Amino acid sequence: MFLRGRPLRHALSLVLAAGFLVGSAGSAAALVDLAEKDRGQIQRLLTVYLADRANRVTQSSTLAVPNDPARLTSVTVSRLLGGRLAAEAAELDARRSRYLELGGAFKRAEVRVRDVLVNHLGVAAAAVTLLEQTRLHYRNPSSDQAPQHLDYTLSHRFSVVREHGAWVLDADSVNLPGGPLSPFTYVAQGRATPLSERLNTRAITDQSMKLWDRSTSAEPPTGQAKLGYDYTAMVNYARQWAYARNPQYPRFDNDCANFVSQALRAGGWEIALDPSSGYPARDPKNWYHYQSSAIHYWSRTWSISHELYFFARDESRRATPLRYFEELSIGDILQADWNNAEGQPAPDGRLDHTMMVSRKEGTSPNQILLTYHTEDRFDHPLSLVLAAAPLSRANYYGLRT
């Protein structure tokens, strides 16, 4: 059962007091040395904090503390954590506004916590681990076939301290993917591109994509004709493996280009491999994966976003650049440049992420849906991507496949 946001706070207190959040017998044993009152206070504090955070990005959002927009949550937090949350509250408010401008909105949030383990560190401190499962319900899903909600699961490590007889949230440590790939309700720092993925010295000089200006034309641009690949097969593959890994291929922590290459292969892209290449994996004209004696071999163009772009556009000419997001259609590639080499959220001409258009139900960014790996997403609205990483601080590049 999911627990909704702030409106159910009083009901939550009753559920929590009954021990709902103790996930196992081991968890219960770990709580024995805490008074029942303390245990209930800690459980309520953490659940209300997570509910306040999720509720912040919904259309029904109200300030956790009336007349104080800098307060992300109504629970008491330490001064250091409060400063961080104030900055995140401003960013979450901006994301909610941008998402609404792009045609999307979440109507409500539901939060469930499980596997709670409290370790009593002394009279005035405790460490808590738990699993957050949050569901954000879309206000207007693009269709009955499109996802009706966005789900994410995160592992948290909390620190709480006792001050003046009450428990205070002191720290929330959560392992985030980094940058715009993190769940919409969490603000993460950028992530540096590994040096091994930056060997290609070519920077993208194409003009980045932009939204079609509806005031200048009655119809959005349509782009160039497709080349005749099996786009249904591409999308079906992406749908099948959106939340899984095909054992016939290698798997990576940063798996987005590898995943899209697999979908392109399923749709008819031929392997390109010149055996006379001195270093075939690094040859920009090669694009391949094969397996021999249980060992996988692949080219950089297969597994790295930046290399895939230049193979598709220049070396093979299998793809042509697009100028407007509205031109994207199923099977097309959308790539993002949103971090520099130091991991700061600023584009540097090198691509960080690759996605495939898996559904299109109109020309609004909220009707163009993307599927991708790394932080796995299925039919994820383009509007959510642009709300988390707006055009003011990210560049996007589309390829007609």
Side-chain angles (χ1 to χ4, degrees), residues 8 59 105 138 145 199 239 251 306 314 392:
L8 292 184
Q59 188 182 27
Y138 294 117
Q145 290 72 43
L199 294 178
R239 292 175 181 277
R251 55 191 300 170
H306 199 70
D314 295 343
S392 60

Side-chain angles (χ1 to χ4, degrees), residues 172-243:
D172 173 14
S173 176
V174 58
N175 186 23
L176 298 173
L181 293 181
S182 298
F184 196 67
T185 58
Y186 288 84
V187 182
Q189 298 299 314
R191 182 175 52 189
T193 303
L195 183 61
S196 62
E197 298 187 4
R198 303 180 65 84
L199 294 178
N200 191 330
T201 59
R202 288 184 291 181
I204 294 182
T205 57
D206 291 345
Q207 186 173 358
S208 61
M209 297 182 76
K210 57 185 180 181
L211 291 166
W212 167 61
D213 186 352
R214 297 177 182 273
S215 67
T216 62
S217 173
E219 295 292 336
T222 58
Q224 303 178 22
K226 291 220 171 201
L227 300 178
Y229 296 113
D230 190 340
Y231 301 102
T232 299
M234 290 182 189
V235 170
N236 286 343
Y237 184 93
R239 292 175 181 277
Q240 179 181 357
W241 296 102
Y243 294 115

Side-chain angles (χ1 to χ4, degrees), residues 81-393:
L81 180 59
R84 190 193 97 191
L85 295 184
E88 294 189 15
E91 169 60 18
L92 295 182
D93 289 343
R95 289 185 182 188
R96 185 182 67 246
S97 296
R98 290 193 294 262
Y99 187 30
L100 188 61
E101 290 173 359
L102 291 166
F106 293 115
K107 60 183 178 181
R108 60 186 174 90
E110 296 178 88
V111 177
R112 180 170 68 178
V113 294
R114 48 173 292 200
D115 299 339
V116 178
L117 178 63
V118 179
N119 291 314
H120 194 197
L121 302 180
V123 176
V128 186
T129 61
L130 62 79
L131 198 67
E132 173 196 359
Q133 294 178 316
T134 291
R135 173 167 292 172
L136 300 172
H137 292 264
Y138 294 117
R139 179 192 63 182
N140 293 315
S142 54
S143 73
D144 291 339
Q145 290 72 43
Q148 305 298 298
H149 44 74
L150 174 66
D151 296 342
Y152 64 82
T153 300
L154 287 175
S155 296
H156 290 263
R157 297 186 304 277
F158 293 105
S159 296
V160 294
V161 295
R162 192 198 302 271
E163 294 182 358
H164 307 294
W167 290 101
V168 173
L169 178 58
D170 185 51
D172 173 14
S173 176
V174 58
N175 186 23
L176 298 173
L181 293 181
S182 298
F184 196 67
T185 58
Y186 288 84
V187 182
Q189 298 299 314
R191 182 175 52 189
T193 303
L195 183 61
S196 62
E197 298 187 4
R198 303 180 65 84
L199 294 178
N200 191 330
T201 59
R202 288 184 291 181
I204 294 182
T205 57
D206 291 345
Q207 186 173 358
S208 61
M209 297 182 76
K210 57 185 180 181
L211 291 166
W212 167 61
D213 186 352
R214 297 177 182 273
S215 67
T216 62
S217 173
E219 295 292 336
T222 58
Q224 303 178 22
K226 291 220 171 201
L227 300 178
Y229 296 113
D230 190 340
Y231 301 102
T232 299
M234 290 182 189
V235 170
N236 286 343
Y237 184 93
R239 292 175 181 277
Q240 179 181 357
W241 296 102
Y243 294 115
R245 300 295 185 269
N246 188 338
Q248 296 181 1
Y249 290 99
R251 55 191 300 170
F252 306 93
D253 291 336
N254 190 4
D255 199 58
C256 58
N258 175 45
F259 172 65
V260 168
S261 287
Q262 293 172 35
L264 293 171
R265 184 76 179 96
W269 276 38
E270 295 292 336
I271 293 298
L273 174 57
D274 181 358
S276 67
S277 299
Y279 297 94
R282 295 188 180 187
D283 190 330
K285 295 181 175 60
N286 290 338
W287 179 79
Y288 66 86
H289 162 267
Y290 66 89
Q291 186 175 2
S292 177
S293 301
I295 300 176
H296 292 280
Y297 300 88
W298 62 90
S299 62
R300 290 171 56 84
T301 56
W302 180 279
S303 61
I304 298 176
S305 293
H306 199 70
E307 311 283 351
L308 175 60
Y309 175 86
F310 284 108
F311 170 81
R313 190 196 71 173
D314 295 343
E315 305 298 344
S316 69
R317 303 198 177 198
R318 296 178 183 178
T320 55
L322 300 174
R323 288 286 309 280
Y324 297 93
F325 291 103
E326 289 80 3
E327 295 179 272
L328 290 164
S329 60
I330 64 166
D332 285 343
I333 299 171
L334 179 64
Q335 297 179 285
D337 171 16
W338 47 43
N339 291 336
N340 61 23
E342 289 71 43
Q344 300 302 314
D348 63 353
R350 298 183 182 278
L351 294 168
D352 302 299
H353 187 49
T354 300
M355 302 164 276
M356 175 167 279
V357 179
S358 51
R359 186 186 296 273
K360 184 175 183 179
E361 298 174 332
T363 57
S364 163
N366 204 44
Q367 297 173 312
I368 299 172
L369 308 182
L370 306 162
T371 295
Y372 54 87
H373 271 189
T374 299
E375 177 68 11
D376 299 356
R377 288 287 179 258
F378 168 71
D379 279 357
H380 191 65
L382 170 62
S383 52
L384 268 178
V385 175
L386 295 178
L391 298 177
S392 60
R393 57 175 186 254

Side-chain angles (χ1 to χ4, degrees), residues 21-101:
L21 293 180
V22 178
S24 66
S27 301
L31 291 170
V32 168
D33 60 338
L34 280 177
E36 184 72 20
K37 179 182 69 173
D38 293 319
R39 183 178 66 183
Q41 287 177 349
I42 292 172
Q43 292 174 334
R44 285 190 293 273
L45 179 147
L46 297 180
T47 305
V48 170
Y49 161 72
L50 294 174
D52 283 341
R53 177 170 210 116
N55 187 61
R56 190 79 179 210
V57 300
T58 66
Q59 188 182 27
S60 59
S61 173
T62 57
L63 293 179
V65 178
N67 303 317
D68 190 355
R71 289 283 299 277
L72 179 57
T73 178
S74 58
V75 305
T76 304
V77 302
S78 65
R79 177 176 297 183
L80 182 62
L81 180 59
R84 190 193 97 191
L85 295 184
E88 294 189 15
E91 169 60 18
L92 295 182
D93 289 343
R95 289 185 182 188
R96 185 182 67 246
S97 296
R98 290 193 294 262
Y99 187 30
L100 188 61
E101 290 173 359

